[in-house]
Amino acid sequence: MSSIVIPFIGGLAMFIYGMNIMADGLQHAAGSKMKKILEVLTQNKLMGIALGALVTAIIQSSSATTVMVVGFVNAGLMNLTQAISVIMGANIGTTITGWLVSAGEWAKMFSPSTLAPIAVMVGVIITLVGKRQQSKDVAGIIIGFGILFIGMNTMSDAVYPLRESEVFKTAFISMGSNPFLGILVGAGVTAIIQSSSASQGILLSLASAGLVPTNAAVFIIMGQNIGTCVTAILSSVGASKNAKCVGTMHLTFNIAGTIIFSILAMFLFARLDPSYGEGIINMTQISFIHTVFNVGTTIILMPFSGYIIKFAMKVNGLKAVETKSDEAELVHLDKRMMSTPSVAVEGAKLETIRMGRIARENLSLALSTLSDHDEEKMADVKQREFVIDKLCDNISKYLIDLCMLHLSDKDNEMVTSLLNTVSDMERVGDHAENIVELAEEMKQEGISFSDTALEELNEMSTTTLGAYDNAVKALELDDITYAVKTSFLEDQVDAMEKKLRAGHIERLSNAECSVNAGIHFIDLLGNLERVSDHAMNIAQVVLNEHRAEKNFHEEKNVE
């Protein structure tokens, strides 16, 4: 028995490892295209289904896609209507694994014994010769494809002797005649190994050895779809109720599909053609049945998606969409998104922009206290400064974790830039607090500015806020136009600072204002000038990115 079990386990390990290498290479080769998924995702159900199928086909795991969706919903990047569409698509996308593995039957030139060694050899050559990261990603796809096939071949060879085993034959006959048992086995194996693709690989290897009757395969396939929901449910533990709904929707959708098609299958096998169910199934037939089951379930249940959402919300005690009232809570970041680094980088960018807007609001509020000396506003500014500091720490930690992942060169540069940007935004928050402290001192000491000084401060404040607004907009839209505007306004702020400083020194020398007022005025000018410098640093991220892209295209044209 050990001569069967050990090679089978080794083959399964190679199958899973090859699948992971291939998925990783596909994911990184896709690059920024993965980040555009959220941008094109709309309320259109068909678009969501198509995207769910595409992403799952790329990362070779419906469980991973659903876990990603849990993270998106928890981070507020996706609503439940969008989520259920992606889940439906993920079920369709996961069938691609079966078609890849069964290619040896319907396309003889793709048989594992022929293709696998060639794929590994080609992948290794590309790895050794290729210099760019993109070449290495392509090599990873090819090598993973080859290892996956070698693992599949090893599993099939290991179980081949079981063709003569009466025990195995009896076990599969039992699963075919007892739908509940077949579904239970499929769900249990998939839940244990946490991968529907790997579970499919096991079933396909047994089928290639001529061990699986059609009726048993049908019920095991349905069970696999239920078992794959366990990963998403476990992933949603500790997440928001909204995110928990994703796991519930996934389970509800797959159970409903299993019930519908189990009834149809039992009717077919018991009434229409009993001999068909008892016949031995091959890998291509399994892939076909799996595809029909998942596509059929999607077509049947798509009109009822709204009811599935309502049921999931009721099960999780959610009466309305949850919102996070605490500004310090992270909105766009979730550890689950790190399974897709490029999307996690996009989430970090969105969270950084959100922090930047909070810092801007605080700066505007602080500047207003110079004229109205409102103590409640001053307290709000100081309280929000704690929020900004907390956001800075949490975003920075997230970005540092991202640095440990396999990122594309572009994403790696963005993470580095965001770390600097978060620091710049935190410093803007510090300057807002400095301004409030100056306003408090002026109130305590009875200091006030002249109308001329207030007009000058208002003009410089408006220009400074304009520079900062354009910088954040440039980062958000990746638009160099706003970055150039920031540079123009920052130059204006620098010129104003010199001019107003000189003018105020002249007023001091003419005894037109007090020394204390003059000191506070100069300090305020310094804070505003520093804010514009930080705005320029933020805009520089976009300027550098566009400059790098221009140089890359120029080098490419030269080559």
Side-chain angles (χ1 to χ4, degrees), residues 338-352:
M338 287 193 176
S339 60
T340 311
S342 58
V343 179
V345 172
E346 187 68 11
K349 180 180 174 181
L350 290 173
E351 192 67 18
T352 301

Side-chain angles (χ1 to χ4, degrees), residues 485-548:
K485 286 181 182 178
T486 302
S487 179
F488 174 74
L489 291 171
E490 198 268 339
D491 287 340
Q492 283 192 330
V493 172
D494 287 345
M496 280 183 187
E497 196 267 343
K498 292 175 183 176
K499 179 183 174 183
L500 298 184
R501 182 185 293 269
H504 204 69
I505 290 172
E506 185 178 343
R507 285 196 295 271
L508 280 171
S509 63
N510 295 331
E512 293 176 13
C513 66
S514 67
V515 174
N516 284 343
I519 293 172
H520 284 79
F521 186 84
I522 297 298
D523 282 345
L524 287 169
L525 294 182
N527 277 282
L528 289 172
E529 193 274 332
R530 289 298 298 140
V531 169
S532 74
D533 287 343
H534 291 300
M536 191 61 230
N537 290 344
I538 295 168
Q540 199 66 50
V541 171
V542 178
L543 292 172
N544 290 340
E545 184 178 344
H546 281 262
R547 191 178 297 117

Side-chain angles (χ1 to χ4, degrees), residues 344-362:
V345 172
E346 187 68 11
K349 180 180 174 181
L350 290 173
E351 192 67 18
T352 301
I353 292 166
R354 188 179 80 89
M355 174 188 162
R357 289 190 174 132
I358 293 172
R360 197 273 186 205
E361 184 182 344
N362 221 31

Side-chain angles (χ1 to χ4, degrees), residues 405-424:
L405 303 178
H406 179 197
L407 301 175
S408 66
D409 291 341
K410 187 175 180 180
D411 282 338
N412 195 52
E413 288 172 10
M414 177 54 70
V415 169
T416 303
S417 297
L418 288 176
L419 277 167
N420 293 327
T421 298
V422 166
S423 178
D424 280 305

Side-chain angles (χ1 to χ4, degrees), residues 3 13 86 88 99 101 137 147 176 259 320 343 348 358 361 363-364 388 390 430 464-465 477 504 537 552:
S3 62
V86 176
M88 291 177 182
W99 286 111
V101 173
D137 290 334
I147 294 175
I259 292 171
V343 179
I358 293 172
E361 184 182 344
L363 177 62
S364 180
I388 294 169
K390 184 177 178 182
D430 289 342
T464 301
L465 288 171
L477 302 177
H504 204 69
N537 290 344
F552 172 76

